[in-house]
Amino acid sequence: STKGYVEIDTHAIKLSKYTPQVVLTRVLSDKDNVYNGINHKSIAKKEVLELAGDDIEFHFAALDYSNPKYNRFSFRLLGLDGQWSDATFEHHATYSNLAPGEYTFQVKGTNSDNIWSDNIAQIKVVIAMPYWYYIVACLLLITLLLIIQFILIRRRQVTLLNQQLHHDTLTNLPNRLDFQNKMAKLASTQEHNFALIILDLDRLKDVNDLYGHKMGDEYIKSAALRMQESLRDFDYLARLSGDEFIILLNRYKLEDDLLEMVNRITVNLARPYQFDDITVSGSASLGIAMFPKDGATEEELFIHADSAMYEAKKAGRNQAYFFNASLKKKLVETIKIKANLKHALSNQEFKLYYQAKLNAITGKIDGYEALIRWFHPVEGLIPPNDFITEAENNGAIVEIGKWVMEEACAQAAILHAEGLLKGNVSVNVSPKQLLTTNIVSIVTDALINSGLPPEKLELEITESSLMDESDRTQTLLSKLKKTGVSIALDDFGTGYSSLSYLTKYPISTLKIDRSIIVSASQHNTSLLVLRNIYSLAHSLGIQVVSEGVETQEQANLVLQYQDDLVQGYLYSRPIPFEDARQLSLKDAAELQI
Ligand code: C2E
Ligand code: CA
Ligand code: CA
């Protein structure tokens, strides 16, 4: 050098022993200065810094002016991590997204010769909950409360719906669905014996018709209450439909036990029902099937109890019938009929027979009643009483009835063309057919296709067709009447025998049921009834046909009515068409002699 030769003994250079103090120079929260350590001034003016930012930066420096760039630092954030960081020349540390809480930032450093100082600089910081935390927490809480409320409401709704789904609204008793579940359980566990009772309230329709549906509802409710009172806690009662109830009598010990229960129910239900000033004399018909004796499955039991109930109803109401072997046989027949009925029409198994309607005095044939016959290839002749009801139930009556109308018109047209039909041919029309099909067009079509004059056709309807007394029935009958056919009221004396129908509807013939004729021949009072019916009908211009005359004695009862007709085995049974034609031919020949 210009100063001469300078020799430096590098081995003699001593390490610096000076350990500079480390100080925190600044703390930034999201780039905002929150602490300034150089002038020892916390902007927050607090010993503990409360911070809310996402990024926290700690800046620090060593108070070493000899060679600051060789100072190294190590730091840690207590509360997050206890470990000191590796030594670094950086003089700041950054932390992001610190969870709310208390922390202590510590930093220590070396001098430029890498000697660590004992001094540790530190600052406590508190990371506060951010404001949105409280909002979110509140929102969460509100949401939670809403969810809870929603769940509670839903649960209440579901319970209510479930209750409604399984209960009848009028009586609050379990309904059909509930019963089905119950039965499925009972029959599958097969634990103990029980009796299934199908109970049908008698006369509900009468009560409805006479006093209105409100009274009908009261009758149902009172009856349901009486049933409940007759049962034990572990028995089961449900309402299946309008007047139909079901009872499951559990764990009866002996049949006597069961009998007593059934008796109690029947007697209880047959007591008069008092509603204000109206007394209703109600009762019920019961059909009973026992598990497992009368059926192993729910379906079998139900069908068997139902058929027993049906028998009880037929036997005159207010009765309880147990399912038995003869009912079983009958049921088998019904099932057979059900299965075969489907194909009977297409297989041409039906035929019409004709029973003459005669003038009782002259004995001359006036007309015929067409009566259906079913000739089954295997079962043989099945009488109408055995299948008409089934056909009505399954709807087959629609097609069958149409066929009867066409066939009867076609055959009547033959008789008419030959001059053998003085009066008319009458065709039975079931209530179902009358009310659910377009009977007017069926009749007019049959008349047009056969060429039969309308006055040669009579429709026989029963009282049950007229019972709803609606305008609809009135219009329907008027329309039929307008086609030119006549209308007969059949089976008079078996149902309500309401003479008011005769005045209300366009009826031209009254057919008196066999039962009236039979009892008139035995009792004077019944004879009086018969005479009154005749005289009332005559006063309304209605012709009378006495049905089911079997004996001369019965025939004598009506001999005085010269303009009326008789029908019965005494004169002629229902016979095939060709035989009827021959009979008419013979009748006409006799007339000519
Ligand atoms: P209904 O209309 O009262 O027919 C009279 C029934 O009495 C016929 O029974 C007939 O054979 C029977 N009968 C006639 N004279 C006497 C007699 O002197 N003594 C007795 N004991 N019975 C007599 P059938 O043919 O068995 O018909 C029974 C019922 O079936 C009919 O009663 C009618 O309601 C119904 N029916 C018959 N054919 C048809 C049809 O084509 N359509 C519809 N919907 N029902 C029909
Ligand atoms: Ca008839
Ligand atoms: Ca009849």
Side-chain angles (χ1 to χ4, degrees), residues 300-504:
E300 222 175 38
L301 266 184
F302 190 89
I303 292 174
H304 290 173
D306 197 47
S307 71
M309 191 278 287
Y310 188 72
E311 283 306 304
K313 262 238 147 77
K314 259 199 352 205
R317 306 191 167 107
N318 193 21
Q319 315 244 12
Y321 267 50
F322 282 80
F323 183 72
N324 57 30
S326 89
L327 280 180
K328 188 165 189 131
K329 197 169 152 240
K330 224 171 172 174
L331 205 65
V332 170
E333 293 298 320
T334 314
I335 291 165
K336 241 192 241 169
I337 284 172
K338 251 188 204 172
N340 291 329
L341 198 56
K342 280 185 215 152
H343 314 290
L345 196 61
S346 53
N347 288 353
Q348 301 185 321
E349 290 167 12
F350 292 123
K351 247 182 125 157
L352 287 188
Y353 270 36
Y354 291 87
Q355 188 178 30
K357 297 186 280 189
L358 315 95
N359 181 300
I361 298 160
T362 63
K364 289 291 152 201
I365 296 172
D366 186 80
Y368 290 93
E369 174 176 4
L371 293 160
I372 195 166
R373 295 290 178 265
W374 179 8
F375 292 93
H376 188 268
V378 180
E379 306 292 329
L381 174 67
I382 305 173
N385 282 335
D386 288 3
F387 69 87
I388 291 287
T389 312
E390 179 50 37
E392 284 177 333
N393 290 343
N394 72 11
I397 194 70
V398 175
E399 287 305 311
I400 295 174
K402 195 162 168 247
W403 175 84
V404 170
M405 194 65 71
E406 284 163 359
E407 181 81 351
C409 285
Q411 294 181 326
I414 297 175
L415 290 182
H416 172 63
E418 294 179 325
L420 298 175
L421 195 57
K422 180 172 174 282
N424 57 41
V425 164
S426 54
V427 172
N428 291 285
V429 178
S430 101
K432 260 270 168 60
Q433 193 190 356
L434 191 73
L435 300 173
T436 63
T437 66
N438 189 355
I439 187 74
V440 180
S441 65
I442 289 174
V443 169
T444 42
D445 286 354
L447 288 173
I448 291 168
N449 293 340
S450 62
L452 183 73
E455 66 275 12
K456 295 285 161 192
L457 178 66
E458 185 167 74
L459 306 183
E460 294 195 5
I461 62 171
T462 54
E463 263 180 305
S464 51
S465 295
L466 308 176
M467 252 159 31
D468 71 344
E469 296 197 38
S470 64
D471 292 346
R472 204 175 97 82
T473 319
Q474 180 81 48
T475 341
L476 185 64
L477 293 186
S478 304
K479 272 193 197 160
L480 280 173
K481 187 83 191 171
K482 266 199 203 121
T483 64
V485 302
S486 50
I487 294 165
L489 186 60
D490 200 2
D491 301 342
F492 192 79
T494 55
Y496 287 77
S497 312
S498 166
L499 290 163
S500 71
Y501 294 137
L502 299 182
T503 53
K504 197 164 173 197

Side-chain angles (χ1 to χ4, degrees), residues 424 458-459 461 466 477 481 486-490 492 498-512 530-546 561-565:
N424 57 41
E458 185 167 74
L459 306 183
I461 62 171
L466 308 176
L477 293 186
K481 187 83 191 171
S486 50
I487 294 165
L489 186 60
D490 200 2
F492 192 79
S498 166
L499 290 163
S500 71
Y501 294 137
L502 299 182
T503 53
K504 197 164 173 197
Y505 299 110
I507 288 160
S508 37
T509 310
L510 183 67
K511 299 196 77 174
I512 300 180
L530 182 72
R531 301 244 180 278
N532 281 332
I533 296 173
Y534 265 89
S535 95
L536 187 104
H538 289 160
S539 68
L540 292 167
I542 292 173
Q543 190 183 40
V544 180
V545 180
S546 286
Y561 304 113
Q562 45 187 314
D563 293 327
D564 296 297
L565 301 175

